[in-house]
Amino acid sequence: MQPLLAQGKSKPAVPWAVLKSAPDQKPLPGTKPLTDTSDLTSKMIAGIDRFLLQQIDQAAVDRPRQWKRDLSSHEAYVRSIEAKRKELSAILGMTDPLVSGGRFSYLGQTHSRSAKGFVNPGEFTYTVHEVTWPTLDDMNGAGLLLMPSGKVHGDIIAIPEADQVPEDLVSSENLNNSYAQKLVRSGFRVLIPTLINRDTNRWNMSNREWAHRPSFELGRTLVGYEVQKVLAAINILKQTNGSNKRPLGVIGWGEGGRIALYAGALDSRIDSTAVCGYFASRQNLWQEPADHNLFGILNTFGDAEIASLIAPRALIIEAGKYPTYYYRANAENGLEVVEDHYTKLKGKPGRLHIPSSKEIKTEFARASNFVAHLEPQIPTLELIETESAVSDETLTAFIRSLSPHASLKSEVKPMKLTSRDLAKKRHNDQLAEILRHNQRLLQLAYESRIAFMKNVQTDSVANFEKSTKAYRKIFREEVIGEFVQDLLPANARSRKYQEGPKTISYQVEMDVFSDVTAYGILTLPKDLKLDGSEKRPVVVCQHGLEGRPRHTVGEEGYRAYKSFSTHLAERGFITFAPQNPYVLFDRFRTLQFKAQSIGRTLFSIAVPQHQQMTDWLKTLPFVDGKRIAFYGISYGGKSAMRIPPLVGNYALSICSADFGEWVWKTAATDNLSLRYSYTNKGEYEIFEWNLGSTFNYAEMAALICPRPFMVERGHFDGVEPDDRVAQEYAKVRFLYQAQLKIGDRAKIEFIAGPHAIHEKGSYEFLHKHLHWPTPKTEF
C-alpha cells in the first residue's frame, strides 16, 4: 500500500493508520457499557486458567464412568480392562511393532571374558555384561545384564531414575542405591536399561524434552519408547529362561518407577511390579517436565487407575524418597512464569512431583478400592512406607512376590565397572537412535496422511463436503479437542475506543464459558449505516504471537500488521480484531499443558471464542452473516488453519506468514532443518499430538474447502523456505483446481517481502470473494 500524500506537503504521510482516542466511551448500540478498566487480555488469560483447572478437576470426577470392571473372577476382570490397556498404549504412542525373535548382543567381549572385564574375579557370585537388544526395526535398548552364578529364582528388569546410569544400580558412591547388586546376589537375573537423561543440552532444554517434542508431534512419546524397550527385553528374557516358567518382575525408582508402572499395566507376563519414588495424584501433571505430557491421559487414568490394570498380579508401591528435579521451577514457589520477555532457557518449566505421605496413601486407597471386591480375593497390592529409596523392605517384598523362598542379600560391596567409562556414549547413542527413528517416521508421515485421508471423495463438491464431515469430527474431537458445553449468552459489553478520518472503533468483551471471555476491537467505516438498511462483510483480523488487538489497528505493531484492521475498514469492510490466547509468554504456554492433559488444546478455547464472536457479529443489523472472513498472520496464520475448519460462520480463510509443511517444522531435528524447526526453539507449547499421521496444513485446508482459501507468503519470511511452502500448497491447489474444479477459490501470493501483511493480493481476494467493490482510489 502506498502512503497518502499529506495536503500541502511534498513528503508522504505516514503509512500506518493515524488514530486518536474516541471523545467518549459510549457503547455500540445494542450492547451494554464496558466499564472494566483492567487489562482485558490478562483478565482473559486468568479466566482460561481457572476454567482449565476446573476442567481437570471435573475430569477426575467423571473418570469412574469410563470404567466397567468385572470383579466376578480374575479372568473376567482381565477381559474387562483389556480395552483400557489398549487405550493406555495408544496414549503412550506405542504403535510401532516390536521386533520379534531378538537376542541380547554382548558388547566388546565374550561372556566369560566379560565377567573378568567387569568384576574382580572370584570376589562376587555374578557377572556383568554390557548388552543391547532390538526393540523396533531401527531402535535398540541398551544397558547392563547381571547374571547370578547359582540357581536363578527369576528375571527382573530394574529401571533406573533418568539421571542414573545402569552402573549406578550395581555400584554407586551411595551403595544404598545399588539395589540391582542386591537382587543379582539374591539369585535373580537382572537387566538394567539405559534411560534418556535430563541433562540440559545445547538448546537449553533437557535431553528428555528434546527427544519428546518431535515424538509427540508424530504420535509417539519418549516414555512410550522406553516402555517398549522394556517389553522387548521381556520377550528376550522369556525366550532365554529355560522352561519359560521363571517368574518375571519389574522395579524402578523415579522415572524408572513410572516406566515400571506403565509396563506392569500393559504386559500380563510381568508377575510383580514395584513402583518406587513415583506413585501419586497426577492432577497437577501440567507442572511436571514436558516429557511427562501425555495427551488426554487424565480423562481416563490417574496413577490409581493405571495400577488397577496390574491386578490381579502383584503391585508394590513404595512411599519413600522421591527424586528431585527442577527446571525453571522450585519447591517453594512452583513454576517460573515469565510474561513479558523471552528467556534463554527454551524448555518448559517443570518439576518432578514430590507428594506428601497423605497424598500417596489417598491414591493408594483409590487403587485398592478398585479391586477390593475382586473374587477370589488375594493380596495383590501393598504399600510400604520408608524414608529411603528402594528400601530393603521393598526389595524383600518384591522378590518374595516372585519366589516365596528367595532371601535378600542386602550386603553391597563397591566395585569398579569399566563399562562406566562407556555410559555417556551408550546414552548418546540411545538418544541419537530415538531422534533418527523420529526422522524416519517424519518421512513416512506423508504416506500415512494419504492413507488417513483415503475416504475423501473428490468426484463432486457435494460428495466432497459429505465425506469430509467425518474428518472434521476427528479434527474437532481428537486433534483440537472440544469442550462439550453450551456457550453462555454473549452479554456483549463495549465502549468507543478510537477514531480515524474514516473509521470508528469499539472495544468489545463478551462471555464464552464460565470464567472464559472473548475480547477484541470492532472497527466500523464511518459511512456505515447502523440501522440495518445495509449489510456489509466482516473481516476478522487475527494478530500473531504475543500480539494484542491494538497492534493490528494503528502505528503500534505496524511493521508486521500494516494497520490492516483499520485499512480494511477504510476500504468499506467491517473488521474485528480478536484477542487470541497465545499471549503473556509462560502464562499461556502452561495453559497448553493443562489443556493437553485432558485431551484439549489452546484452540479448544479459541474455537468457541470465535464461534461466540462470529455468532454475535451476525446479530448486528449492519453485518452480513454470510460474508465473514478470517485473515490471520503468523500465530494468527496458525489460527487461520485451525479455527475456520470448525467455525462454519467463516466464509473464507487467509493464512499469512505461517503456511507451510507444519509437521516438518515441528518434528525435524536434522541440522539443516533446525534453522526453521520448532524442536529447538522456545515455543515449547507448539507441539500437537499426532499431527504427523493426521493433519498437515494441506489436510487442514481440505477442511476449509470448498470455501475460498488463500496463502500470503513473503520470500524473505524466515518461517519456512519457499520450496516447503510451495510443496504443501501444491496439494491444496491440486484439490481445488484439478479435483474439484474450483481453482478460482484458492490462491497463493508470493511477495518479495518479510514476515508481514502485504495488503495487495489478500485485499483483492477479500473484495472478490466477499463481494465488496474495490475502492476506485487505492489508499
Side-chain angles (χ1 to χ4, degrees):
M1 174 176 290
Q2 297 298 318
L4 292 170
L5 289 178
Q7 286 187 345
K9 296 182 180 181
S10 59
K11 292 182 178 181
V14 295
W16 51 81
V18 178
L19 306 171
K20 62 182 180 179
S21 297
D24 60 70
Q25 293 191 340
K26 292 181 180 179
L28 181 73
T31 66
K32 298 177 181 179
L34 176 57
T35 59
D36 190 340
T37 58
S38 67
D39 183 341
L40 298 180
T41 297
S42 181
K43 172 187 174 183
M44 185 189 83
I45 295 298
I48 294 171
D49 194 8
R50 291 192 300 273
F51 174 80
L52 289 175
L53 291 175
Q54 292 165 3
Q55 294 301 308
I56 290 172
D57 290 342
Q58 188 61 44
V61 173
D62 295 341
R63 203 177 294 151
R65 292 197 288 270
Q66 306 256 0
W67 291 78
K68 294 181 180 179
R69 298 179 180 87
D70 186 342
L71 303 174
S72 61
S73 70
H74 291 180
E75 294 77 12
Y77 180 80
V78 170
R79 288 194 299 270
S80 71
I81 62 173
E82 183 58 31
K84 295 304 178 188
R85 281 184 176 166
K86 292 179 180 178
E87 183 177 348
L88 177 61
S89 178
I91 289 171
L92 295 174
M94 295 169 53
T95 56
D96 302 314
L98 296 178
V99 170
S100 59
R103 292 288 187 270
F104 289 123
S105 295
Y106 296 84
L107 303 183
Q109 303 169 9
T110 65
H111 189 172
S112 59
R113 291 177 61 194
S114 176
K116 296 177 183 178
F118 285 103
V119 183
N120 296 330
E123 188 175 346
F124 301 103
T125 58
Y126 62 95
T127 58
V128 182
H129 306 267
E130 189 177 13
V131 296
T132 64
W133 61 96
T135 300
L136 308 179
D137 60 1
D138 57 354
M139 186 187 298
N140 299 300
L144 300 181
L145 180 64
L146 282 57
M147 298 287 295
S149 57
K151 178 182 178 181
V152 178
H153 294 297
D155 292 320
I156 292 174
I157 300 178
I159 312 171
E161 157 59 8
D163 288 331
Q164 294 176 316
V165 297
E167 285 77 5
D168 289 336
L169 273 59
V170 182
S171 181
S172 64
E173 292 183 6
N174 181 356
L175 292 178
N176 290 329
N177 294 336
S178 307
Y179 67 89
Q181 184 184 143
K182 298 177 183 180
L183 293 172
V184 70
R185 294 183 67 244
S186 301
F188 289 86
R189 181 169 59 163
V190 182
L191 177 69
I192 313 171
T194 298
L195 301 190
I196 303 305
N197 65 35
R198 298 192 188 90
D199 289 355
T200 300
N201 60 23
R202 61 179 174 144
W203 309 119
N204 286 318
M205 69 183 75
S206 74
N207 283 324
R208 291 191 69 80
E209 181 168 355
W210 168 238
H212 182 73
R213 286 181 172 193
S215 304
F216 192 83
E217 191 76 17
L218 296 165
R220 277 76 171 175
T221 65
L222 174 59
V223 71
Y225 287 144
E226 291 175 329
V227 171
Q228 285 184 297
K229 291 182 181 184
V230 170
L231 302 188
I234 291 174
N235 289 343
I236 299 172
L237 290 171
K238 285 294 185 181
Q239 292 170 7
T240 57
N241 69 0
S243 63
N244 198 30
K245 295 181 180 179
R246 190 185 297 164
L248 185 144
V250 293
I251 183 172
W253 181 62
E255 198 66 37
R258 180 185 183 217
I259 295 168
L261 179 66
Y262 294 160
L266 294 174
D267 196 328
S268 59
R269 297 173 299 175
I270 297 173
D271 299 292
S272 181
T273 303
V275 177
C276 309
Y278 178 74
F279 195 78
S281 167
R282 294 296 151 202
Q283 290 302 101
N284 289 321
L285 180 63
W286 62 273
Q287 292 187 344
E288 298 185 32
D291 62 282
H292 282 203
N293 184 33
L294 299 174
F295 191 71
I297 191 167
L298 295 185
N299 290 331
T300 306
F301 300 103
D303 281 1
E305 284 81 6
I306 296 174
S308 75
L309 297 180
I310 296 176
R313 292 166 291 129
L315 171 61
I316 298 164
I317 302 297
E318 181 184 82
K321 182 180 179 181
Y322 279 55
T324 58
Y325 171 78
Y326 303 103
Y327 180 88
R328 295 177 58 203
N330 57 62
E332 293 76 23
N333 301 320
L335 305 188
E336 173 186 318
V337 176
V338 177
E339 63 176 63
D340 60 354
H341 62 84
Y342 284 104
T343 172
K344 292 181 179 179
L345 296 175
K346 296 180 179 180
K348 173 193 177 292
R351 58 179 178 175
L352 293 179
H353 180 46
I354 303 176
S356 65
S357 175
K358 180 180 178 181
E359 181 183 323
I360 298 171
K361 290 178 181 178
T362 299
E363 193 71 7
F364 180 83
R366 289 203 316 116
S368 299
N369 289 336
F370 291 144
V371 295
H373 301 291
L374 178 61
E375 297 293 342
Q377 292 189 22
I378 55 174
T380 63
L381 194 57
E382 184 175 358
L383 178 65
I384 295 176
E385 298 182 74
T386 179
E387 297 296 323
S388 60
V390 197
S391 66
D392 285 355
E393 182 182 358
T394 298
L395 292 173
T396 297
F398 177 57
I399 64 174
R400 287 183 178 172
S401 69
L402 293 170
S403 178
H405 302 295
S407 176
L408 182 68
K409 309 296 184 184
S410 59
E411 182 182 10
V412 174
K413 296 183 180 181
M415 66 183 68
K416 182 175 181 178
L417 297 173
T418 58
S419 66
R420 189 178 288 275
D421 298 332
L422 305 173
K424 183 175 181 179
K425 180 181 184 302
R426 182 197 308 136
H427 168 273
N428 291 344
D429 288 346
Q430 289 282 282
L431 176 58
E433 275 192 357
I434 290 173
L435 295 175
R436 284 196 300 270
H437 177 74
N438 283 335
Q439 295 315 287
R440 182 179 172 220
L441 292 179
L442 177 57
Q443 293 175 337
L444 297 174
Y446 178 85
E447 298 295 334
S448 298
R449 292 191 298 274
I450 291 176
F452 172 69
M453 298 291 287
K454 65 181 179 181
N455 293 325
V456 172
Q457 299 179 31
T458 57
D459 57 320
S460 71
V461 172
N463 286 338
F464 173 82
E465 290 186 278
K466 290 178 183 178
S467 65
T468 53
K469 286 181 179 179
Y471 290 97
R472 191 169 288 107
K473 185 175 188 291
I474 293 171
F475 190 64
R476 180 187 298 276
E477 296 177 0
E478 300 179 22
V479 176
I480 297 299
E482 179 183 21
F483 290 108
V484 184
Q485 52 183 280
D486 295 333
L487 297 173
L488 295 175
N491 187 30
R493 291 86 67 190
S494 71
R495 60 182 169 231
K496 281 184 183 177
Y497 179 51
Q498 291 177 327
E499 285 193 33
K502 295 187 177 185
T503 63
I504 185 168
S505 64
Y506 294 82
Q507 290 180 313
V508 182
E509 183 185 46
M510 63 193 74
D511 300 325
V512 181
F513 296 140
S514 175
D515 285 318
V516 178
T517 57
Y519 155 67
I521 295 175
L522 177 70
T523 302
L524 305 177
K526 281 187 173 178
D527 64 355
L528 173 67
K529 297 179 178 66
L530 302 184
D531 60 2
S533 59
E534 68 165 332
K535 293 182 181 292
R536 294 197 189 182
V538 180
V539 181
V540 173
C541 300
Q542 191 61 68
H543 62 77
L545 178 65
E546 294 301 329
R548 304 288 187 105
R550 68 175 187 267
H551 295 157
T552 72
V553 300
E555 179 180 359
E556 186 180 7
Y558 178 80
R559 180 177 179 181
Y561 297 112
K562 300 296 187 289
S563 306
F564 75 133
S565 288
T566 303
H567 285 165
L568 282 167
E570 290 172 346
R571 303 174 76 90
F573 295 104
I574 298 164
T575 67
F576 189 76
Q579 178 68 67
N580 260 18
Y582 38 78
V583 64
L584 300 181
F585 294 84
D586 288 324
R587 282 184 63 186
F588 93 80
R589 292 197 161 100
T590 53
L591 296 181
Q592 177 82 320
F593 287 83
K594 292 170 186 175
Q596 288 183 335
S597 72
I598 52 174
R600 274 80 166 197
T601 64
L602 276 174
F603 286 102
S604 304
I605 299 294
V607 166
Q609 284 178 320
H610 278 256
Q611 187 67 56
Q612 184 78 303
M613 289 184 290
T614 54
D615 285 348
W616 173 75
L617 286 168
K618 289 172 66 176
T619 68
L620 300 179
F622 45 83
V623 166
D624 184 344
K626 295 182 180 179
R627 292 187 290 167
I628 302 177
F630 191 103
Y631 185 2
I633 175 175
S634 194
Y635 223 123
K638 295 172 182 56
S639 302
M641 302 309 302
R642 292 160 177 81
I643 294 174
L646 302 179
V647 178
N649 290 337
Y650 284 120
L652 65 83
S653 183
I654 301 175
C655 177
S656 176
D658 188 70
F659 188 89
E661 222 280 56
W662 180 256
V663 173
W664 167 78
K665 185 173 177 62
T666 49
T669 55
D670 62 281
N671 287 331
L672 291 177
S673 300
L674 286 178
R675 172 185 172 186
Y676 303 100
S677 176
Y678 276 120
T679 54
N680 65 338
K681 304 298 190 301
E683 288 86 347
Y684 58 81
E685 88 297 340
I686 207 80
F687 306 94
E688 298 160 285
W689 174 246
N690 198 26
L691 282 192
S693 299
T694 54
F695 296 95
N696 207 342
Y697 272 11
E699 288 75 28
M700 293 183 198
L703 301 184
I704 296 170
C705 184
R707 291 169 288 172
F709 173 71
M710 179 181 172
V711 172
E712 189 175 48
R713 162 68 188 175
H715 285 304
F716 305 113
D717 189 336
V719 169
E720 289 193 29
D722 276 351
D723 58 333
R724 291 281 181 177
V725 176
Q727 175 180 308
E728 191 69 11
Y729 180 77
K731 306 171 198 174
V732 179
R733 181 68 173 170
F734 181 72
L735 172 65
Y736 273 82
Q737 182 173 10
Q739 293 181 302
L740 297 179
K741 308 297 189 293
I742 53 173
D744 64 321
R745 300 186 196 178
K747 178 179 178 180
I748 188 168
E749 181 186 28
F750 285 99
I751 306 146
H755 190 79
I757 296 290
H758 184 52
E759 298 194 289
K760 183 169 175 54
S762 57
Y763 286 8
E764 294 170 356
F765 194 78
L766 289 167
H767 281 289
K768 174 181 178 180
H769 292 288
L770 293 181
H771 309 292
W772 186 252
T774 302
K776 294 181 181 179
T777 302
E778 285 292 323
F779 295 92

